[in-house]
Amino acid sequence: MEAAVAPDNYRRALEAVKRNQGAPGIDRMRTEELEAHLEAHWEKIRGKLLAGTYVPTPVRRVEIPKPSGGVRKLGIPTVLDRFIQQLLLQVMTPIFEPLFSEHSYGFRPGRSAQEAVAAAQGYAQQGKDWVVDLDIAQFFDHVNHDLLMGRVAQVIRDKRVLRLIGKYLRRGAMEEGVVVASVEGTPQGGPLSPLLANIYLDPLDRELERRGHCFSRYADDCNIYVGSQAAAERTMASIQGWIEKHLRLKVNTAKSGTGRVWERKFLGFRLNRQQQVEVAPESVERFKAKVRVMWRACQSRTSNQLREAWQRYLRGWWEYFRLAEQRKPIFRLEGWIRRHIRKCFWLRWHDAEGRENALRRLGVHPRVLRTVRTGRGAWFMAATSTMHSGLSNAVLRRYGFLVPSDLAASR
């Protein structure tokens, strides 16, 4: 605890919380207010942490929809509790990192989902192209507190730290004005939860290593690579039983399964029959759904705001998926993406006069402008030579309305 509250650790934690931003907890304190709050109250808070008497505030419960359906429950701690969890995270990570498996990639410094997928590709190229795809049902909601705290206590001896982590686990959430205590699970939304998840799942890694398996795990997504269908089915049955017995968790049978690597996705990617990394079809469909939403014409945003929001999303999306070697399925969408952009502007120009004026400013020849006064719909018009003359690919690119190949070419 002394290391956690040391001045250097304090400064790094404060910068991390400010950098990560995030929504306020139940006390409604914003990230921008944290530094002033600490300047006024840090000595008192520090004293409570050193004495082991600090009591966390319940988290604010929010639900966000999952891409595959259903909702994911997040627990948003107060900004102060996020800061204190960050203090603990920074001193605990160097202790636990050397103990973790090389096959674990999620929420670890210097490791990424792309490295997890690259490792999976390596196993497939070695001939292990059958995969056991494990998905643990509602993992963060069902972590057993006793098992988790027992594993933390094997390494961390400071009882003040152990008590504080236990308080964070048990404090519960505010739901409809009532505090609901937590008897299991670690709330998603706090800085400490990912580290606790890796501590909890490390025995699974060790068991898979003991059995000699090739595997890649990212948080609660774990793929095991074997050489035959029989081995895959045998491994699935055996590991499922081990997880239920030793981790007291359930495998989601609807999402888990066995198959060839090109039949299963991993972290939004999949390997094709040539064992090249490509974007999984489900991820492509989610990308298309986002395009439709972002280029709706009825948004109260300026053209610059639409462009900037699109650039932020596309750059983040491409930064994640640029690992893909087979990019044709993405690049084939680019005409469709530009058609959505053109449709959006067609509708935002409102009427024939507005469209004529806008296209004239874009240099469209007067003879072509006669086609503006048509009764055809916006989607049809977005594909016409009229819109392509005014909003050509080059014009869209010049004004920053990018598509994935623009980003690929810039690297």
Side-chain angles (χ1 to χ4, degrees):
M1 188 62 79
E2 281 75 11
V5 300
D8 180 62
N9 199 52
Y10 171 102
R11 286 190 294 272
R12 290 193 296 122
L14 179 59
E15 288 304 312
V17 173
K18 288 163 63 177
R19 183 172 59 249
N20 293 335
Q21 295 293 310
I26 64 172
D27 64 354
R28 295 299 172 184
M29 182 192 294
R30 301 189 308 277
T31 309
E32 298 84 352
E33 302 171 81
L34 175 62
E35 188 167 6
H37 180 81
L38 288 173
E39 287 176 1
H41 303 287
W42 172 239
E43 285 308 313
K44 184 176 180 180
I45 296 167
R46 180 178 179 274
K48 288 182 177 181
L49 291 170
L50 290 171
T53 58
Y54 179 82
V55 178
T57 304
V59 299
R60 181 167 65 91
R61 178 73 72 210
V62 297
E63 295 182 347
I64 60 172
K66 292 182 179 180
S68 55
V71 296
R72 174 178 288 112
K73 291 184 177 181
L74 294 185
I76 308 299
T78 63
V79 175
L80 176 59
D81 279 326
R82 290 209 294 274
F83 168 75
I84 293 172
Q85 287 191 33
Q86 185 69 31
L87 291 175
L88 295 177
L89 176 68
Q90 290 171 180
V91 295
M92 290 173 64
T93 295
I95 297 170
F96 280 97
E97 263 299 305
L99 307 179
F100 289 149
S101 167
E102 285 299 307
H103 301 279
S104 165
Y105 295 90
F107 309 124
R108 296 182 62 188
R111 291 181 158 241
S112 66
Q114 289 80 5
E115 289 179 310
V117 174
Q121 182 184 32
Y123 299 140
Q125 290 171 343
Q126 294 169 20
K128 297 181 182 296
D129 59 359
W130 282 87
V131 60
V132 178
D133 183 359
L134 288 172
D135 183 274
I136 298 175
Q138 297 179 311
F139 166 71
F140 284 92
D141 295 334
H142 295 299
V143 166
N144 182 281
H145 290 173
D146 291 337
L147 286 180
L148 173 58
M149 291 307 302
R151 286 167 189 153
V152 175
Q154 289 174 3
V155 180
I156 303 294
R157 301 298 185 185
D158 191 328
K159 294 190 183 304
R160 297 166 299 179
V161 172
L162 296 175
R163 282 197 298 268
L164 183 54
I165 294 173
K167 289 175 186 176
Y168 275 120
L169 292 174
R170 296 187 301 272
R171 192 65 181 98
M174 180 76 77
E175 298 183 19
E176 298 180 355
V178 177
V179 176
V180 180
S182 174
V183 294
E184 64 177 358
T186 173
Q188 296 183 73
L192 200 54
S193 289
L195 175 63
L196 297 178
N198 277 328
I199 293 170
Y200 196 84
L201 289 171
D202 187 63
L204 172 61
D205 299 337
R206 299 309 173 187
E207 177 65 15
L208 293 174
E209 289 173 348
R210 188 186 69 78
R211 298 184 185 196
H213 284 305
C214 296
F215 68 97
S216 182
R217 182 177 68 78
Y218 191 95
D220 55 331
D221 280 329
C222 183
N223 277 8
I224 307 166
Y225 297 87
V226 296
S228 68
Q229 182 178 4
E233 292 174 351
R234 184 172 62 249
T235 301
M236 170 62 86
S238 175
I239 289 298
Q240 182 174 346
W242 188 93
I243 289 172
E244 292 177 358
K245 178 180 179 181
H246 294 278
L247 298 182
R248 302 182 195 175
L249 296 170
K250 297 288 185 182
V251 171
N252 187 333
T253 55
K255 293 183 179 179
S256 302
T258 63
R260 307 303 287 268
V261 291
W262 54 84
E263 297 171 337
R264 310 292 302 189
K265 65 181 177 69
F266 184 43
L267 302 175
F269 295 90
R270 75 170 181 184
L271 300 174
N272 62 24
R273 290 176 183 270
Q274 291 73 46
Q275 295 170 353
Q276 295 173 306
V277 177
E278 62 181 26
V279 182
E282 297 90 337
S283 300
V284 174
E285 289 304 311
R286 286 199 291 273
F287 176 71
K288 290 170 68 176
K290 188 69 173 180
V291 170
R292 295 185 187 101
V293 169
M294 296 195 75
W295 290 108
R296 289 179 303 180
C298 59
Q299 302 177 69
S300 58
R301 291 182 171 186
T302 66
S303 298
N304 287 341
Q305 288 171 333
L306 285 173
R307 178 192 62 203
E308 289 162 8
W310 169 246
Q311 284 185 354
R312 283 194 301 272
Y313 170 73
L314 184 64
R315 291 184 193 281
W317 190 90
W318 184 254
E319 183 64 25
Y320 185 85
F321 284 107
R322 65 186 172 87
L323 177 69
E325 300 163 293
Q326 178 52 267
R327 298 176 174 180
K328 287 181 181 178
I330 299 302
F331 292 165
R332 278 198 294 263
L333 292 176
E334 294 187 347
W336 177 84
I337 294 170
R338 291 188 179 107
R339 189 171 178 181
H340 271 280
I341 296 172
R342 294 183 181 111
K343 182 194 79 168
C344 178
F345 280 105
W346 177 265
L347 291 170
R348 286 168 68 88
W349 292 334
H350 297 302
D351 55 23
E353 183 178 353
R355 289 160 187 158
E356 285 182 358
N357 290 337
L359 290 167
R360 189 179 292 110
R361 288 194 298 271
L362 289 166
V364 176
H365 195 279
R367 284 198 305 271
V368 179
L369 290 176
R370 290 189 300 234
T371 61
V372 168
R373 298 181 180 274
T374 176
R376 305 302 293 266
W379 184 246
F380 175 87
M381 290 304 300
T384 63
S385 59
T386 303
M387 288 297 286
H388 277 259
S389 297
L391 293 177
S392 66
N393 293 355
V395 168
L396 290 174
R397 189 178 299 113
R398 184 166 70 246
Y399 283 100
F401 295 95
L402 307 176
V403 291
S405 62
D406 297 326
L407 301 182
S410 68
R411 297 194 68 85

